[in-house]
């Protein structure tokens, strides 16, 4: 499975993918790491792993549509089977989402459809939920609105602040993402008429 990763920050999800590949539990290749932030630590992780690392800077482009088109032209040059957004902090404009339909997933730190957008852990605490977690979903034009492939669940404890909850969720994101990528590598997952199918069956 040829994977392109889009990220804007720390890169712990990229690292989880690389570790799984190195451990032989994920039959995949990371064909490129792409960021909208030239100094994002994720690019350093990519470079030190010997991967192609690309930064495209939004202010170098006249508008969002042109930036997104250039970004996905670069992504497509790496000929990925699947694009993984892991902490890519941009809403991707519709033409590129359509272009990548069924070939792009995102990991989001909430149990979607709950708590879309930013500051999901604080949202969960403010809502007083007992359970929180992460989701891997197909990317559609609606922010964090695409069909969910899988959830990882964690308890919320009374002493939690946003940082403690974020840490508990993050450590479950990594195995969740690897598990979903293993299913893609095995050809078991698809997006069919807006529904996730596993082994050809809508779930
Ligand atoms: C993760 O929590 C992910 O769910 C969210 O952004 C964070 C990315 O973390 N979208 P990292 O850069 O992979 O460490």
């Amino acid at each position: 499975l040829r994977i392109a990763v889009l990220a804007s920050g720390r890169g712990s999800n990229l690292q989880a993918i690389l570790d799984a590949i190195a451990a032989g539990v994920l039959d995949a290749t990371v064909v490129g790491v792409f960021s909208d932030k030239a100094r994002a630590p994720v690019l350093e992780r990519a470079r030190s792993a010997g991967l192609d690392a690309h930064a495209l800077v939004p202010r170098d482009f006249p508008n969002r549509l042109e930036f997104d088109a250039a970004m996905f032209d670069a992504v497509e040059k790496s000929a990925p089977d699947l694009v993984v957004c892991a902490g890519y902090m941009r809403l991707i404009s519709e033409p590129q989402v359509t272009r990548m339909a069924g070939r792009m997933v995102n990991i989001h730190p909430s149990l979607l459809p709950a708590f879309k957008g930013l500051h999901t852990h604080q949202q969960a605490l403010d809502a007083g939920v007992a359970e929180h977690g992460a989701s891997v979903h197909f990317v559609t034009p609606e922010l964090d609105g695409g069909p969910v492939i899988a959830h990882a669940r964690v308890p919320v404890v009374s002493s939690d602040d946003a940082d403690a909850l974020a840490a508990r969720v993050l450590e479950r994101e990594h195995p969740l993402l690897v598990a979903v990528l293993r299913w893609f590598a095995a050809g078991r997952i698809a997006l069919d008429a807006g529904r996730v199918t596993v082994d050809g069956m809508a779930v």
Side-chain angles (χ1 to χ4, degrees), residues 105-137:
V105 298
N106 179 47
I107 184 160
H108 177 78
S110 80
L111 294 176
L112 291 172
F115 312 137
K116 296 176 181 174
L118 299 175
H119 313 301
T120 61
H121 312 298
Q122 193 56 54
Q123 288 189 59
L125 292 171
D126 294 348
V129 294
E131 204 179 44
H132 185 42
S135 307
V136 178
H137 64 96

Side-chain angles (χ1 to χ4, degrees), residues 118-185:
L118 299 175
H119 313 301
T120 61
H121 312 298
Q122 193 56 54
Q123 288 189 59
L125 292 171
D126 294 348
V129 294
E131 204 179 44
H132 185 42
S135 307
V136 178
H137 64 96
F138 281 102
V139 174
T140 62
E142 184 201 345
L143 177 70
D144 303 326
V148 172
I149 298 166
H151 281 144
R153 297 171 183 276
V154 301
V156 180
V157 302
S158 52
S159 59
D160 274 339
D161 61 8
D163 289 347
L165 189 48
R168 190 173 312 122
V169 169
L170 188 64
E171 77 182 47
R172 296 295 312 282
E173 289 184 33
H174 301 152
L176 171 68
L177 182 57
V178 169
V180 170
L181 294 179
R182 280 166 52 87
W183 294 333
F184 273 103

Side-chain angles (χ1 to χ4, degrees), residues 13-190:
N13 277 286
L14 168 68
Q15 195 60 53
I17 295 170
L18 297 178
D19 293 349
I21 292 170
V25 300
L26 176 57
D27 181 11
T29 311
V30 176
V31 294
V33 177
F34 301 81
S35 186
D36 58 324
K37 299 262 187 288
R39 302 173 54 76
V42 65
L43 292 177
E44 218 25 66
R45 277 188 205 267
R47 292 186 190 105
S48 59
L51 304 176
D52 279 347
H54 309 259
L56 279 77
V57 180
R59 72 172 167 281
D60 292 347
F61 295 84
N63 57 57
R64 279 171 25 80
L65 283 172
E66 304 248 348
F67 171 80
D68 287 350
M71 174 62 84
F72 283 90
D73 286 350
V75 169
E76 289 276 56
K77 278 198 182 64
S78 65
D81 298 309
L82 185 68
V83 177
V84 178
C85 298
Y88 185 61
M89 303 312 279
R90 284 181 64 86
L91 179 62
I92 301 167
S93 45
E94 199 277 335
Q96 304 309 320
V97 172
T98 301
R99 176 185 187 181
M100 306 306 296
R103 296 192 291 146
M104 183 154 63
V105 298
N106 179 47
I107 184 160
H108 177 78
S110 80
L111 294 176
L112 291 172
F115 312 137
K116 296 176 181 174
L118 299 175
H119 313 301
T120 61
H121 312 298
Q122 193 56 54
Q123 288 189 59
L125 292 171
D126 294 348
V129 294
E131 204 179 44
H132 185 42
S135 307
V136 178
H137 64 96
F138 281 102
V139 174
T140 62
E142 184 201 345
L143 177 70
D144 303 326
V148 172
I149 298 166
H151 281 144
R153 297 171 183 276
V154 301
V156 180
V157 302
S158 52
S159 59
D160 274 339
D161 61 8
D163 289 347
L165 189 48
R168 190 173 312 122
V169 169
L170 188 64
E171 77 182 47
R172 296 295 312 282
E173 289 184 33
H174 301 152
L176 171 68
L177 182 57
V178 169
V180 170
L181 294 179
R182 280 166 52 87
W183 294 333
F184 273 103
R188 301 187 62 189
I189 298 219

